[in-house]
Amino acid sequence: MKAITKLLHYMKPYKVFAILGPLFMCMEVVMDLFQPTIMQKMIDTGIAQQDNDYVLKMGLLMLVCAVLGLIGGAGSSVYAAKAAVPFAADIRRDIFQKIMQFSNRNSDTVGTGKCITIVTSDIETIKQAVIMTLRVFVRGPLLFIGSVVIVWLSARELFPILLVSIPILMILITFFSVKSGKLFLHVQKAMDGVNTKLQEMLAGIRVIKAFERQDYEKGQFRTVNEVLMQRNMTAEQLVLTLMPMMMFIVNLGIIAGLWLGVIKVNEGTLQVGVILAFINYLNIMMNGLMSSSQVLMQIARSFSSAGRIVQVIETEVDIVEHNASKPYQSVRGEVEFRHVNFSYSKNGESVLTDISFTVKAGQTIGIIGSTGSGKSTLVKLIPRLYDPDCGEIFIGGQNIKQIPLEKLRSMIGFVPQKAELFSGTIAANLRYGDEAATDADLEWAAKSAAAAEFIERFANKYEHQLMQSATNLSGGQKQRLSMARAFIRKPKILIFDDSTSAIDALSESKVQQTLKSANGKQTIFIISAKISSIITANQILVMEDGRMVARGTHQELLATSKVYHDIYASQTGREVQVG
Ligand SMILES: Nc1ncnc2c1ncn2[C@@H]1O[C@H](COP(=O)(O)OP(=O)(O)OP(=O)(O)O)[C@@H](O)[C@H]1O
Ligand SMILES: [Mg+2]
């Protein structure tokens, strides 16, 4: 309930439509309610007294009512949609913005599947609930109350039937609404499971094929799909049994009405037209209750969706801008880690332990170490993709938490371990690094990353279209574009996380040339499994199990670090005397 109230402020810009919708609906309902009374008059007065003029007049009146009812119904649909559709679109926009603000830790916690279900299914549920509320929720109770009042006024003899049937119907509706709300929350959760699996499978479809794991994945998908089906079945069955149960109660009411009515007609205290009108009103009442119950169930369903939406909107982003104590001044690219500790989850295993080092501006630092030793994690802390648990990181002597996030990230060119590119042209992908980059900049960056040759070979060159996740490029081509995208920013700090693993030796030496010419101007982090890539670095960090086990130049490390020496020996086949 609280969640729904929080979402309702999204309706503010559309409140005029949200009021007009039900108003038009009132017109339709009033017209619907007139019809049986007009018909009763037509039968009991016009036909009984064979007054043809009266019958014609009543017939015309019924036609006018029908047309006005049509206008009311159409108007209410149009305005309900005008209110609900942009309302849902605004929520979707904000959810997307929020997901964009998420820190990596937030994204890991919420999960991709849930984000997809929320943006697609949960928001649709809410939209549907709003449309139904604006259109039907007024209509249902109005039809219901209207028919009860009219029966009271015109067929009081049959009113006791309502006194029995209405409470039974009310209890049924309440029970089914509450129950369906709970069941549909389970459905949405099962949908998260399907979306998570689907997203993972689509991303990894090539691996699935290469390993001939289609059957295994089909089995996995069947499992989550079955859970969704079972839950959906339970929820839908519940919703669908309400209708026949209500029909049954109303039919009993009609039988009772006819039976009681016939007795009264025989006694001469009731006219036949009244019985017909009563049955009509009972049907209208049933109609009203039925639509109200459907709306109630949709609302109950939207409560759980609203809860999930608000949960995402209110997720506390754990990488936050700290109020800079002093105004931000451009800093040089010196990077210092001071006793940094980090773990991916609270109280989780430590991934980085007591890391301290300094890289002077314009220098190059190499990072080497076994797989899983924390190299990627270490560099992810620099653009604040994660914050350390304790310890501090400084750039140009300024704590990175005091630097506005946008400024911090714009001074860093990050080449991640796995090249991530987007659908669109090569140029658009490179301009991710710098929107204002000119064509000359693109060419320069591509050349620097040894990407120019393969781009030139495409018919459309820089306008060549990449598919989703750049699946129409080779691994090495993706890595080169990813590097060019970082170069184009001309950042103070360049970070290469194992970025040359899929690049041939010739191209790598071209990239090395670029880096050499950047030496002195840009601070460069190079993570590499190959000693040859970092041999000329001003200093090299050797990582093991989240700890920095050695630091120094290549020559120093050969002399002092057994780990480094072993890596060197294994890669070159040369033994060096350790001093
Ligand atoms: N998002 C994450 N959530 C939880 N644990 C993670 C996450 N990313 C990495 N880890 C764990 O943190 C540790 C360090 O990972 P990291 O990616 O920094 O290693 P690495 O040195 O870069 O390895 P590699 O050379 O294979 O790239 C590993 O044990 C890994 O399992
Ligand atoms: Mg790594």
Side-chain angles (χ1 to χ4, degrees):
M1 187 66 197
K2 238 196 227 155
I4 284 275
T5 336
K6 280 184 182 149
L7 289 184
L8 274 185
H9 79 265
Y10 280 96
M11 189 53 89
K12 257 189 202 151
Y14 314 108
K15 61 174 183 280
V16 176
F17 300 136
I19 294 168
L20 280 174
L23 275 184
F24 270 88
M25 183 43 65
C26 289
M27 182 157 111
E28 189 191 6
V29 172
V30 172
M31 294 307 129
D32 280 358
L33 284 170
F34 274 151
Q35 297 281 16
T37 307
I38 302 172
M39 199 171 76
Q40 179 215 335
K41 290 212 172 346
M42 202 189 235
I43 294 169
D44 288 344
T45 314
I47 296 177
Q49 294 168 14
Q50 296 190 334
D51 182 348
N52 283 350
D53 276 358
Y54 189 82
V55 171
L56 195 66
K57 240 196 316 196
M58 287 298 119
L60 276 178
L61 196 58
M62 279 175 90
L63 189 67
V64 172
C65 283
V67 171
L68 287 179
L70 175 73
I71 295 172
S76 106
S77 299
V78 169
Y79 287 116
K82 278 191 172 194
V85 175
F87 162 82
D90 288 357
I91 299 179
R92 201 177 296 125
R93 175 202 62 205
D94 280 8
I95 290 264
F96 184 75
Q97 274 174 9
K98 185 70 187 200
I99 294 173
M100 288 287 105
Q101 287 170 10
F102 271 6
S103 70
N104 285 25
R105 209 189 290 254
N106 290 136
S107 308
D108 294 348
T109 314
V110 177
T112 327
K114 188 167 177 180
C115 289
I116 295 174
T117 319
I118 287 178
V119 173
T120 52
S121 162
D122 283 302
I123 292 184
E124 273 306 298
T125 307
I126 302 253
K127 185 192 90 184
Q128 213 49 42
V130 172
I131 290 191
M132 284 174 81
T133 308
L134 295 182
R135 267 191 45 70
V136 193
F137 203 49
V138 181
R139 180 184 161 86
L142 267 186
L143 283 178
F144 170 72
I145 296 168
S147 3
V148 172
V149 170
I150 295 176
V151 170
W152 172 254
L153 292 176
S154 59
R156 202 163 302 175
E157 295 81 354
L158 303 176
F159 197 76
I161 296 170
L162 297 193
L163 288 182
V164 179
S165 53
I166 290 174
I168 299 176
L169 291 170
M170 290 294 188
I171 290 169
L172 275 178
I173 290 173
T174 315
F175 172 77
F176 276 77
S177 301
V178 173
K179 186 94 184 130
S180 78
K182 286 183 189 148
L183 289 178
F184 276 112
L185 179 60
H186 294 309
V187 172
Q188 296 304 85
K189 283 188 181 159
M191 186 87 93
D192 292 348
V194 170
N195 277 334
T196 305
K197 196 70 228 170
L198 184 66
Q199 191 260 347
E200 191 181 35
M201 280 179 193
L202 291 177
I205 190 77
R206 283 162 197 81
V207 181
I208 296 172
K209 294 241 161 100
F211 281 82
E212 271 298 318
R213 297 295 278 172
Q214 289 97 321
D215 287 342
Y216 171 77
E217 291 295 341
K218 262 188 228 162
Q220 295 255 310
F221 191 78
R222 197 179 303 125
T223 313
V224 284
N225 199 23
E226 218 134 82
V227 174
L228 177 63
M229 187 192 75
Q230 288 299 343
R231 295 187 182 178
N232 239 330
M233 183 76 90
T234 319
E236 294 293 352
Q237 274 173 348
L238 179 98
V239 170
L240 295 175
T241 38
L242 177 62
M243 173 83 141
M245 285 173 90
M246 289 179 67
M247 280 293 261
F248 178 70
I249 307 285
V250 170
N251 282 336
L252 286 184
I254 292 177
I255 294 169
L258 281 172
W259 175 68
L260 198 66
V262 170
I263 295 174
K264 302 261 176 195
V265 169
N266 286 341
E267 284 171 359
T269 51
L270 201 71
Q271 286 179 296
V272 181
V274 176
I275 302 178
L276 276 181
F278 173 78
I279 290 171
N280 265 332
Y281 281 119
L282 210 57
N283 273 325
I284 292 179
M285 197 185 79
M286 152 85 183
N287 221 320
L289 273 181
M290 204 53 232
S291 42
S292 309
S293 69
Q294 270 166 2
V295 182
L296 274 177
M297 278 196 267
Q298 184 72 25
I299 291 177
R301 200 171 157 170
S302 75
F303 276 11
S304 41
S305 288
R308 289 156 52 87
I309 291 172
V310 169
Q311 198 188 358
V312 168
I313 290 183
E314 290 188 343
T315 299
E316 212 173 302
V317 178
D318 52 19
I319 302 282
V320 284
E321 298 267 8
H322 292 255
N323 280 338
S325 48
K326 41 188 175 180
Y328 171 75
Q329 287 161 346
S330 182
V331 292
R332 279 176 44 85
E334 182 186 88
V335 179
E336 183 187 355
F337 275 55
R338 255 186 232 167
H339 304 295
V340 168
N341 286 286
F342 178 80
S343 52
Y344 277 101
S345 55
K346 279 197 182 94
N347 313 320
E349 201 183 325
S350 176
V351 175
L352 293 176
T353 314
D354 197 23
I355 305 288
S356 296
F357 66 88
T358 306
V359 202
K360 293 211 175 72
Q363 289 205 337
T364 299
I365 182 168
I367 305 178
I368 199 162
S370 54
T371 187
S373 56
K375 306 180 296 293
S376 299
T377 309
L378 186 148
V379 291
K380 280 181 196 159
L381 301 183
I382 304 171
R384 290 190 71 200
L385 299 180
Y386 294 93
D387 275 342
D389 297 342
C390 61
E392 260 111 37
I393 301 166
F394 298 86
I395 294 183
Q398 201 162 348
N399 190 325
I400 54 171
K401 287 190 178 167
Q402 308 293 331
I403 304 175
L405 264 183
E406 192 206 326
K407 291 266 188 308
L408 171 71
R409 290 178 182 165
S410 68
M411 67 170 107
I412 297 170
F414 198 99
V415 188
Q417 191 161 12
K418 180 170 175 263
E420 300 269 10
L421 297 162
F422 301 92
S423 51
T425 61
I426 289 181
N429 268 282
L430 295 185
R431 287 202 171 98
Y432 235 76
D434 176 10
E435 264 178 275
T438 61
D439 290 349
D441 291 335
L442 297 188
E443 280 171 36
W444 165 80
K447 235 183 227 146
S448 308
E453 288 154 35
F454 82 84
I455 298 175
E456 296 290 338
R457 280 204 296 271
F458 291 129
N460 297 329
K461 299 194 166 40
Y462 288 80
E463 291 308 311
H464 181 74
Q465 280 286 341
L466 302 189
M467 277 152 47
Q468 196 183 12
S469 305
T471 44
N472 53 342
L473 289 186
S474 75
Q477 288 172 334
K478 277 193 254 186
Q479 278 196 337
R480 290 176 215 201
L481 284 189
S482 172
M483 270 193 266
R485 179 176 64 189
F487 283 141
I488 213 164
R489 313 195 91 163
K490 304 196 175 99
K492 286 201 179 103
I493 301 167
L494 264 169
I495 299 172
F496 297 89
D497 187 353
D498 211 2
S499 314
T500 51
S501 58
I503 296 182
D504 59 90
L506 190 63
S507 301
E508 193 185 347
S509 80
K510 278 186 192 162
V511 176
Q512 297 274 5
Q513 282 304 316
T514 311
L515 296 183
K516 212 174 260 173
S517 65
N519 203 341
K521 294 176 222 135
Q522 286 166 310
T523 311
I524 303 171
F525 285 74
I526 303 176
I527 296 177
S528 182
K530 291 180 278 186
I531 285 194
S532 61
S533 305
I534 53 168
I535 201 161
T536 56
N538 300 92
Q539 60 173 324
I540 298 166
L541 301 188
V542 185
M543 299 286 298
E544 212 174 44
D545 276 345
R547 289 174 190 277
M548 197 177 75
V549 289
R551 180 160 72 107
T553 60
H554 172 68
Q555 288 306 335
E556 287 166 358
L557 288 173
L558 275 185
T560 56
S561 166
K562 165 125 185 32
V563 180
Y564 188 80
H565 174 266
D566 289 348
I567 301 172
Y568 180 72
S570 70
Q571 289 184 9
T572 59
R574 265 180 267 164
E575 287 290 330
V576 177
Q577 204 58 43
V578 180

